[in-house]
Amino acid sequence: MIWAPAIELPSKIREFGDWTVVCDNIKICTAGSFSRATEKNEAKDDEGRFSGLTMWIGRKPGRLKRPVLLFDFSFYRDTQSASPLSLHVYYDALTDKIGKAYTLEERETGRYYVAENDIPTFLAESSRTNLAAIRSANGEIFGIITTKGLNASLRYVDWQQGRVGTITALLESGHKSWQSVPPKPRKPWVYAAGQVSELIVHQPATEAVEALRAKFCGSQLSSKTPDAQAYQLVSGDRLWSIECGFPRVRNPRLLWITKSASGQFKTMFIPGTEGTSLLEMHSLPNSDFDPKTGIITGTFKETDAGDCGWQQKWAWTGNRFKLVQQLEMLTCDGRPMKQWFRTYQTALGGFLDKPYAE
């Protein structure tokens, strides 16, 4: 038997030129100045162009929510010697012609924000070129950011949040009142049962468990049957995790199974990411179970460095597991997970980490 997902699927990440954007399941939108196209550009460019600099634009849904524009240098570069910094539209690379200065305010260590009232003016001016520049205190160019694809990303955000043709639109605003903008959707609520009463280590796999392993592990199935790890849940169910096989591969999968007090076995049904068949996913890569919260976390690594891929969190509700959060990153450029896009979220007490940017 399979747990059917009583949720909508995580949102799909979009790429427009050199920009990536996503609006999650409750329409919180985040866009960044990077994409799989810029991975190749950054390797070839010099003189500070795209020097690990990312412009982030975020906006929450709702009638009165305004956009946020920031730069995060905490992971990439030291800015203390170059501060104060200013943002400019970059008009001519040959002569370093730049537009007016927009002050960058360091509100948190390494994170610089554009003043709220300056954001519409900058976005309007930025639509004339494909580049922006950050200037240091001595007048030198600190770094260059691509804005190719920025306008398309902003239009996508307006469309997703129902702002097209209203006075709140980021681009091409109209005469419709702010009152015509849809309200913020509610988060799906998931109650995590948490806690286990007992951990059973090296539990021999039963014939029924091995049959499910053979059915759902697919190409990773090894001929040797490993021992299973089992947890006795407070609901009376038993949670099993069993290796599909080949633990030394980049993404070793664990098959997660529950056995009810009546003896009924269930496997997980896992919403897949782009290019993945939903009907074939019943195991999670690089996964583990936290008995204190009742949450299974699985992470798929697209590279050995683990700088792109996806991460899902599943919570035990007392009778099945439900997806409660998904993070995803398409661009493999050394970015830490705190900068991955959130494509799905729920209300789940204090168990989940705060997302990187809203």
Side-chain angles (χ1 to χ4, degrees):
M1 186 173 179
I2 300 171
W3 295 311
I7 57 168
E8 67 269 32
L9 295 179
S11 300
K12 185 177 180 180
I13 294 177
R14 306 285 180 173
E15 291 178 298
F16 298 101
D18 293 338
W19 276 67
T20 303
V21 61
V22 69
C23 295
D24 70 13
N25 58 306
I26 60 169
K27 303 303 180 183
I28 293 178
C29 300
T30 308
S33 60
F34 56 87
S35 69
R36 284 173 289 190
T38 58
E39 284 184 69
K40 301 176 182 178
N41 295 338
E42 288 181 2
K44 295 184 293 184
D45 284 317
D46 55 9
E47 297 181 0
R49 178 182 291 263
F50 312 145
S51 305
L53 303 182
T54 299
M55 182 191 302
W56 296 93
I57 296 179
R59 193 173 196 180
K60 295 181 179 180
R63 297 166 179 170
L64 301 179
K65 299 299 182 181
R66 303 186 70 176
V68 175
L69 195 159
L70 66 95
F71 296 84
D72 188 348
F73 302 107
S74 60
F75 178 71
Y76 293 105
R77 303 181 68 182
D78 176 26
T79 58
Q80 296 304 314
S81 60
S83 295
L85 300 173
S86 58
L87 174 65
H88 305 257
V89 172
Y90 197 40
Y91 286 101
D92 190 336
L94 294 178
T95 62
D96 275 345
K97 179 183 178 182
I98 58 177
K100 64 170 291 187
Y102 300 89
T103 302
L104 293 176
E105 177 186 353
E106 187 176 16
R107 300 178 189 172
E108 306 161 54
T109 302
R111 297 182 72 176
Y112 290 75
Y113 291 76
V114 175
E116 189 176 89
N117 291 335
D118 285 341
I119 294 175
T121 307
F122 170 77
L123 294 179
E125 184 184 1
S126 180
S127 64
R128 305 172 192 170
T129 74
N130 286 326
L131 294 172
I134 293 180
R135 198 175 187 181
S136 60
N138 62 10
E140 296 181 355
I141 299 297
F142 182 75
I144 299 173
I145 307 97
T146 175
T147 54
K148 182 181 179 181
L150 170 59
N151 287 350
S153 298
L154 297 178
R155 290 189 180 95
Y156 180 76
V157 171
D158 285 340
W159 173 67
Q160 283 284 311
Q161 295 182 343
R163 301 183 185 278
V164 176
T166 73
I167 60 175
T168 72
L170 293 169
L171 287 182
E172 301 175 4
S173 59
H175 299 291
K176 293 182 182 178
S177 167
W178 59 268
Q179 294 176 315
S180 63
V181 176
K184 175 182 176 180
R186 292 184 178 181
K187 288 184 182 181
W189 176 258
V190 176
Y191 173 76
Q195 297 297 327
V196 299
S197 57
E198 182 183 3
L199 169 62
I200 308 168
V201 183
H202 301 306
Q203 176 75 22
T206 65
E207 290 185 6
V209 171
E210 179 56 25
L212 290 170
R213 175 174 173 269
K215 181 177 180 180
F216 291 116
C217 280
S219 60
Q220 278 201 8
L221 181 65
S222 63
S223 57
K224 182 181 178 181
T225 302
D227 287 342
Q229 190 173 53
Y231 296 88
Q232 188 68 42
L233 304 176
V234 291
S235 59
D237 299 83
R238 179 168 292 185
L239 174 66
W240 301 68
S241 67
I242 185 168
E243 292 179 0
C244 280
F246 308 111
R248 294 186 180 180
V249 299
R250 182 189 300 154
N251 294 293
R253 287 185 171 271
L254 289 179
L255 181 66
W256 293 90
I257 305 168
T258 59
K259 181 183 179 182
S260 66
S262 62
Q264 185 180 34
F265 286 94
K266 294 181 181 180
T267 63
M268 298 181 71
F269 182 103
I270 303 169
T273 54
E274 182 179 1
T276 302
S277 171
L278 302 184
L279 298 179
E280 294 179 358
M281 292 189 67
H282 302 278
S283 58
L284 280 172
N286 300 300
S287 51
D288 58 70
F289 176 70
D290 183 352
K292 293 183 180 179
T293 61
I295 291 179
I296 294 176
T297 300
T299 305
F300 177 81
K301 302 176 182 179
E302 193 68 46
T303 66
D304 291 336
D307 57 350
C308 54
W310 54 260
Q311 183 187 82
Q312 294 177 337
K313 291 182 181 290
W314 292 76
W316 176 248
T317 64
N319 58 10
R320 62 173 173 164
F321 281 93
K322 282 188 175 182
L323 181 67
V324 293
Q325 179 177 278
Q326 177 168 298
L327 306 177
E328 189 174 357
M329 179 56 65
L330 302 181
T331 308
C332 306
D333 61 356
R335 202 168 296 276
M337 189 174 289
K338 76 169 188 176
Q339 293 189 357
W340 288 20
F341 289 104
R342 184 184 56 198
T343 58
Y344 188 81
Q345 65 165 303
T346 58
L348 187 70
F351 291 152
L352 299 183
D353 296 331
K354 184 179 179 181
Y356 167 67
E358 295 185 352

